[in-house]
Amino acid sequence: MKIRRVLATAVALAVTTPAALLSVSPAYADAKPAAQTQEKQSKPTIEELEEAAAEAQKAYDKAVEAEAAGRVEVDKALDDLSEVDGTHPLAVASAAARKAAKDAAAAKTAADQAVTEAKAALDALDETATEEERTAAETALSEAEATATTAATTKTAADAAAAEAREKLDDARVAAVRAYGVLQQAVEDALAVKTAADAALAKAIKEAEEGEGEEGEDCEPELDLTSKVTGLPDKLVAGTSTDFSLRVTNGSDRHMDKVLTFVSVHATDKSGLKDTEKFFRLQWSTKSAPKWRNADADDYIDGVGALKPGAHADVKLRLTLDKATPAGNGVAFFAADFFNEDGSCGGAPDLDMYEFDVKAAGSKPGKTEDVKPSTTPRPGNTGTTPQGSASGTPAATGSLAATGSSSATTSIALAGGAAVLLGAAAVFVVRRRKTGSDA
């Protein structure tokens, strides 16, 4: 008997991200989470994952086609903008301005030479020169100096015009290359999304195949098994440790023989493209297991033990960031599962997602407020269950596609980090736990 963990964000982002990636605006690149939020996501089906993978493939193919067409266009643009024989208006204007500056320089040189010669002629007059000859020489010098002054002014203006025309031409060339760079980045982003979507689908199919050979019934959803986080800041600083807590509550009327908590942390750098999870270390301790222990490879935490109806247990958590952790964005997922000796099992059908900023070493840490979560109906549930954000704001209900977006998820998607969330989903999209020796 196994229980699975699936992040519906994988479907929502794989379907919606491709279009966003192809129309990405640099304005979104520096977007930051305004506040820590918590969202509930539902489990996608294999059919949905197949559709998401197909959409990601289409988006990648289109991105490759756009990049190839863009290469042709940028080559043509750079040829048109050539300083030597470019036909673009800016190239023509730059060539004309450059020639005008060259002619002005030649004119100034000639005018300066005329002044030199006029001075020499005036100096060469001796006492035998007539008044008319001396006046003529002085007039020639004065006129030569005036011409030289005009030539210098003309040259200065021509040089400035040539520099301005050259700058406009250079800007146009840079813009052409940058436009092509956007297409290249779109290919990389689309490939990352495609790879993650394919991985999520492959793992889901493998899980389904493995599940068919197991005896017993599937574990059932238990809406009243809840997990609530307190003390997790909206900003974590590299080189520091943050202690917070997770309260698991059995709000049902059944006895749960063994309860496990699921905690998974994922993060990227500011670009949203580089996975930085290797810099994170998650530890836990409970009343029954007070010594700090590392979370296991499956992201499950033992130590909660049995929970009677209405009972709760607290898990202390410590998240340590290496000093070299790059600044960026992160998300932490929480849930709880139970396993009974009679073979029954189940757990919270949703994952609670908390977003946070990752700050470079030496930055000011974030602030947290211990607030009570708001109570709102979950999608598909006629009852109510606690959910909300660490800042006291009610959490959104429904899927990511239905609610629009949260600040951090929008930032990640538009900056290319959709691939990272998808990759995170691929990691634990098929999380399972046997009730035998594993449980």
Side-chain angles (χ1 to χ4, degrees):
M1 191 77 66
K2 295 183 178 181
I3 187 168
R4 68 189 64 181
R5 283 281 166 226
V6 184
L7 182 61
T9 309
V11 174
L13 290 182
V15 172
T16 61
T17 295
L21 290 176
L22 296 179
S23 61
V24 61
S25 167
Y28 288 96
D30 295 327
K32 299 295 180 185
Q36 186 181 33
T37 62
Q38 180 186 40
E39 297 181 5
K40 303 289 182 178
Q41 309 296 342
S42 302
K43 181 177 77 174
T45 64
I46 289 181
E47 289 73 18
E48 289 174 322
L49 289 171
E50 288 175 338
E51 181 179 355
E55 291 294 332
Q57 179 67 56
K58 291 179 182 178
Y60 173 67
D61 292 340
K62 289 181 179 179
V64 171
E65 292 177 3
E67 189 271 342
R71 180 55 190 240
V72 174
E73 291 299 321
V74 74
D75 287 343
K76 182 177 181 301
L78 293 178
D79 287 341
D80 291 343
L81 292 168
S82 171
E83 288 185 297
V84 179
D85 54 2
T87 59
H88 191 281
L90 290 177
V92 174
S94 180
R98 189 169 64 254
K99 183 178 183 306
K102 182 178 180 181
D103 292 343
K108 181 180 182 303
T109 299
D112 290 342
Q113 180 62 33
V115 169
T116 300
E117 292 174 354
K119 285 183 177 180
L122 180 61
D123 293 340
L125 296 177
D126 54 19
E127 64 276 2
T128 62
T130 65
E131 187 65 26
E132 290 79 4
E133 290 176 335
R134 185 170 296 279
T135 299
E138 291 174 347
T139 299
L141 175 60
S142 178
E143 291 175 348
E145 289 175 338
T147 299
T149 299
T150 301
T153 301
T154 301
K155 180 180 182 301
T156 299
D159 288 342
E164 182 180 359
R166 172 62 182 274
E167 183 177 358
K168 290 181 179 179
L169 182 63
D170 289 343
D171 288 345
R173 291 171 63 86
V174 170
V177 174
R178 283 179 176 173
Y180 177 61
V182 171
L183 296 177
Q184 288 180 309
Q185 186 63 56
V187 171
E188 294 182 13
D189 293 342
L191 178 59
V193 173
K194 173 186 173 300
T195 301
D198 289 343
L201 174 60
K203 286 180 176 290
I205 292 175
K206 181 179 179 181
E207 177 190 338
E209 292 174 349
E210 291 176 350
E212 290 176 356
E214 296 175 358
E215 298 180 356
E217 299 179 353
D218 289 338
C219 295
E220 59 186 277
E222 178 51 74
L223 296 174
D224 293 322
L225 179 59
T226 61
S227 53
K228 175 62 181 175
V229 175
T230 57
L232 179 61
D234 58 1
K235 295 181 181 65
L236 300 181
V237 180
T240 66
S241 294
T242 300
D243 289 350
F244 57 104
S245 62
L246 176 69
R247 170 162 292 187
V248 182
T249 302
N250 177 10
S252 72
D253 58 0
R254 72 171 81 184
H255 184 278
M256 298 178 182
D257 296 332
K258 185 175 183 62
V259 175
L260 304 175
T261 56
F262 176 85
V263 181
S264 185
V265 179
H266 303 272
T268 71
D269 64 358
K270 287 184 177 180
S271 72
L273 298 174
K274 184 178 180 181
D275 187 331
T276 58
E277 298 165 28
K278 66 180 181 180
F279 298 101
F280 289 70
R281 180 188 181 193
L282 180 65
Q283 296 176 291
W284 64 273
S285 70
T286 62
K287 185 177 181 180
S288 60
K291 185 178 179 181
W292 286 107
R293 305 182 185 185
N294 294 329
D296 68 19
D298 290 328
D299 296 323
Y300 275 96
I301 293 176
D302 298 319
V304 176
L307 282 181
K308 298 178 180 179
H312 68 263
D314 294 321
V315 179
K316 294 181 180 179
L317 296 170
R318 174 172 293 170
L319 189 56
T320 302
L321 280 63
D322 189 273
K323 202 168 185 179
T325 307
N329 297 310
V331 289
F333 300 96
F334 301 90
D337 303 324
F338 73 88
F339 303 91
N340 291 332
E341 294 179 358
D342 62 5
S344 62
C345 60
D350 301 321
L351 289 167
D352 295 344
M353 184 176 80
Y354 289 82
E355 302 169 6
F356 54 85
D357 277 343
V358 178
K359 298 296 184 182
S363 301
K364 185 177 180 180
K367 297 181 179 180
T368 57
E369 297 179 6
D370 292 331
V371 296
K372 296 181 179 180
S374 60
T375 302
T376 58
R378 289 187 180 183
N381 177 27
T382 56
T384 59
T385 184
Q387 59 178 336
S389 70
S391 61
T393 306
T397 59
S399 67
L400 178 62
T403 58
S405 64
S406 67
S407 58
T409 324
T410 300
S411 170
I412 292 174
L414 292 178
V420 176
L421 277 187
L422 284 169
V427 172
F428 59 86
V429 70
V430 290
R431 290 292 191 205
R432 293 176 167 186
R433 192 76 170 189
K434 290 186 177 180
T435 56
S437 60
D438 287 344

